[in-house]
Amino acid sequence: MREALGRLEAPDEHRAEERGRQVVRTAFAEREGADLRRSTRVRATSVLAVAVAIAGFALTPAGAEVREWIGEKMGLGAEDAKPRLGRLPADGSILVESDGGTWVVAEDGSRRRLGGYDLATWSPSGMFVGLTDGPEVRALTPQGETRWVHAPESEDITGLDWSTDDGDRIAYVVGGSRLHVMAADNSSEATFDSTVAPVTPAWRPDRSETRIVRQLAYVDEGGEVRVVDTESGRLVFSHRPDMPVRKLEWQTNGKGLLMVARQGIALRYAPETAMSWEPAVNGKRSAHWEEASIAPGGFAGGSELIAAVSRSRGRSTVELLRQSTSRELITIPSQVSDVTWSPDGEWVVLGLEDADQWLFVRVEDAEVRAFSNISDQFESAGEFPRIAGWCCGP
Amino acid sequence: MEAGELRRLGPPPPGLSRRRETALVRAAQRGSGEAMEELFRRHWRGAHRAAYLVVHDGAAAEDIAQEAFISAIRSLERFDRHRPFAPWLHRIVVNRAIDWTRARSARREVSGEATGLLERVSTNPDLASQADSGRVITALESLGPDQRAVIVLRYVLDYTPGEIAEILELPRGTVNSRIRRGLDALAHVVERER
């Protein structure tokens, strides 16, 4: 076997090697240039220092003052809070929804506008972007090449999710009430449930070694969270939370389902063998976290770590939760509009609408990198640009 | 290819080669283009062939190997040079190859690469060996991308099951069972093709 495999050559191997050498040589030279251009790195800031800085801080909601606070209190000089997006602190590309269009931000900070779309989602490996434009669903490459367009109904699509792992299914909500499931190659589709709430459905990550599992979590019109096998139609389990859920997100190991409401969040484990649900965030539902996201599972403990945002009197606090423990990552005198993990789980990026900034915060030591003028860079004249996903590192 | 050349595709042997590789990574981190060229020379062929044997598409394999090197270059300053370079690179290659294969499967694309490969193999002088290789590549195509990756890491890049478990972040038992099931499936297909 070993000898037989070893005799095989890839097609055009020698010329491919020479082409690869040229590409790598160029990339390495560009890296050297980028390193030379890079200014002094932002200093690391301890959580304690941030907490001290916060104490007694007068609320200053105006954007300029928030920026000033970030500059003064977090060791970010004016030259460090970059006026334009620069190289991302982790591998992967960021997908951005803005009223100026949908954009892909590459690792080097360069932006590519894909067009004017409503919703966007990455395919699991980042090879495609799923987009909606009114009643249309589209699949594009990150370079902007359209692969297919599908328009099942005349009403607008209000929620979109591309299945994880094998990536061969897409779920979307039409008209705020009809859940459709389609093959990701646009070969077939069907209305799955006609009585759902306008909440983006969430495909359950498939960790089965022996079979393909296609399970989808969604909220029905009565507010019940349902997890259903989309191939058989079987209800795997359901749960009626005591708050209207507006966001669903699975742990990457497929075991826990995070439910986010305006009044709080809850993480519920979803065992295959039982219909019961177990509270997991500090052993109870938290009534003060308003936004949350689960870390990717590609590093130790990632599937169990949640970044949760609470807001109070103009301040936002980001905490890192793991079952019965939590620690504060950062507190900011601004409204954090969304929180997104880097693919390697080492950073979270926070959208700060007041300051018109993105704040990248390293989980390990709360080091901060700030980029300003976000609305302008994504040509938004209205709503603050929203990060629709950060995908996919090596 | 000689049998001895096969071993060069795998991770560098411990000792001097490992220390040499650490020195190369350190030099590349400091900006040495020569060190980067040497790392490329050492690892391109293994990365390219591994990608090809997982995706069975020449153009995609070339893209994946290039992207893996570029990704490694971009991450170079964060790389812990006390860790071996090859498993790091091969992890990127194999994961991207698996992702690509899954995405292709989702698109229901039909690739003609396998046929091209068989034709290529049949023009080599050692006909018996080529026939074996052709059967193996046909058999390899019958496996899923995850199993294919494990077989390639084990039998082309020469990693141990423990090392494969680390590279793919899988339990060792899963790696062992994938190797066993993969070999069983390959043997079955090869036998049927004879």
Side-chain angles (χ1 to χ4, degrees), chain A residues 2 4 6-7 9 11 13 17 19 21 25 28 31-32 38 91 107 125 127-128 185 209 298 394, chain B residues 1 6 31 37 40 44 49 62 73-75 77 99-100 106-108 120 129 133 158 169 178:
Chain A
R2 190 188 300 264
R7 274 193 295 274
E9 292 185 7
E13 192 166 86
E17 181 168 353
R19 288 191 292 268
R21 179 176 281 111
R25 196 176 280 163
F28 190 73
R31 167 191 175 268
E32 287 185 273
R38 191 170 299 159
D91 290 322
E107 285 176 19
S125 60
M127 297 186 71
F128 302 100
D185 62 355
E209 296 281 337
Chain B
M1 175 189 282
L6 188 61
E37 292 263 344
F40 177 87
W44 168 266
R49 287 188 185 176
E62 192 176 333
I73 287 170
R74 286 176 176 162
S75 306
E77 67 185 56
D99 285 349
W100 188 93
R107 295 195 303 274
R108 307 284 193 268
R120 180 186 180 84
S129 300
S133 295
D158 240 5
E169 294 183 337
R178 283 187 185 173

Side-chain angles (χ1 to χ4, degrees), chain B residues 29 31-32 45 65 74 78 82 87 91 117 120 136 142 144 189:
Chain B
Q29 285 174 327
S32 166
R45 189 174 296 180
R74 286 176 176 162
R78 297 196 302 276
H82 299 296
R91 177 184 178 185
L117 183 73
R120 180 186 180 84
V136 168
S142 70
V189 175

Side-chain angles (χ1 to χ4, degrees), chain B residues 133-145:
Chain B
S133 295
R135 278 191 283 271
V136 168
I137 196 72
T138 303
L140 207 52
E141 276 199 291
S142 70
L143 305 180

Side-chain angles (χ1 to χ4, degrees), chain A residues 192-205:
Chain A
F192 190 79
D193 191 328
S194 296
T195 56
V196 304
V199 175
T200 300
W203 288 100
R204 187 178 193 178

Side-chain angles (χ1 to χ4, degrees), chain A residues 238-286:
Chain A
S238 63
H239 172 70
R240 188 176 297 280
D242 55 358
M243 52 186 178
V245 171
R246 62 182 178 83
K247 174 182 167 183
L248 297 168
E249 189 177 310
W250 285 97
Q251 286 184 327
T252 48
N253 60 12
K255 290 181 178 173
L257 179 63
L258 177 69
M259 296 175 287
V260 180
R262 300 213 179 278
Q263 308 92 332
I265 66 172
L267 177 69
R268 300 281 173 157
Y269 286 123
E272 292 286 355
T273 53
M275 296 289 284
S276 63
W277 292 64
E278 297 170 13
V281 176
N282 288 348
K284 60 183 180 182
R285 176 172 67 83
S286 166

Side-chain angles (χ1 to χ4, degrees), chain B residues 3-185:
Chain B
E5 192 177 349
L6 188 61
R7 282 193 287 276
R8 293 212 301 271
L9 297 179
L16 285 177
S17 293
R18 175 69 177 275
R19 283 198 290 277
R20 169 70 179 146
E21 185 129 308
T22 300
L24 285 172
V25 170
R26 186 190 300 120
Q29 285 174 327
R30 290 173 178 165
S32 166
E34 291 78 14
M36 193 64 230
E37 292 263 344
E38 175 65 12
L39 287 170
F40 177 87
R41 193 190 64 74
R42 285 182 173 214
H43 297 295
W44 168 266
R45 189 174 296 180
H48 185 208
R49 287 188 185 176
Y52 181 67
L53 289 172
V54 175
V55 301
H56 290 183
D57 181 301
E62 192 176 333
D63 285 348
I64 288 166
Q66 286 182 7
E67 287 168 9
F69 268 97
I70 290 170
S71 179
I73 287 170
R74 286 176 176 162
S75 306
L76 203 56
E77 67 185 56
R78 297 196 302 276
F79 179 65
D80 176 0
R81 59 177 175 263
H82 299 296
R83 291 166 52 204
F85 180 80
W88 182 51
L89 180 73
H90 292 149
R91 177 184 178 185
I92 300 171
V93 168
V94 168
N95 282 330
R96 288 190 178 209
I98 291 171
D99 285 349
W100 188 93
T101 308
R102 285 173 174 161
R104 178 177 62 176
S105 174
R107 295 195 303 274
R108 307 284 193 268
E109 286 183 4
V110 178
S111 167
E113 288 288 339
T115 307
L117 183 73
L118 289 171
E119 288 169 357
R120 180 186 180 84
V121 167
S122 68
T123 61
N124 278 336
D126 183 356
L127 292 176
S129 300
Q130 292 133 25
D132 281 347
S133 295
R135 278 191 283 271
V136 168
I137 196 72
T138 303
L140 207 52
E141 276 199 291
S142 70
L143 305 180
D146 295 309
Q147 264 186 332
R148 236 182 277 170
V150 169
I151 294 292
V152 167
L153 285 167
R154 181 75 186 97
Y155 295 108
V156 176
L157 296 178
D158 240 5
Y159 286 105
T160 66
E163 289 168 334
I164 296 170
E166 281 187 27
I167 289 171
L168 296 179
E169 294 183 337
L170 291 171
R172 190 167 171 158
T174 303
V175 170
N176 284 330
S177 65
R178 283 187 185 173
I179 290 174
R180 194 171 57 249
R181 287 203 307 265
L183 287 178
D184 286 348

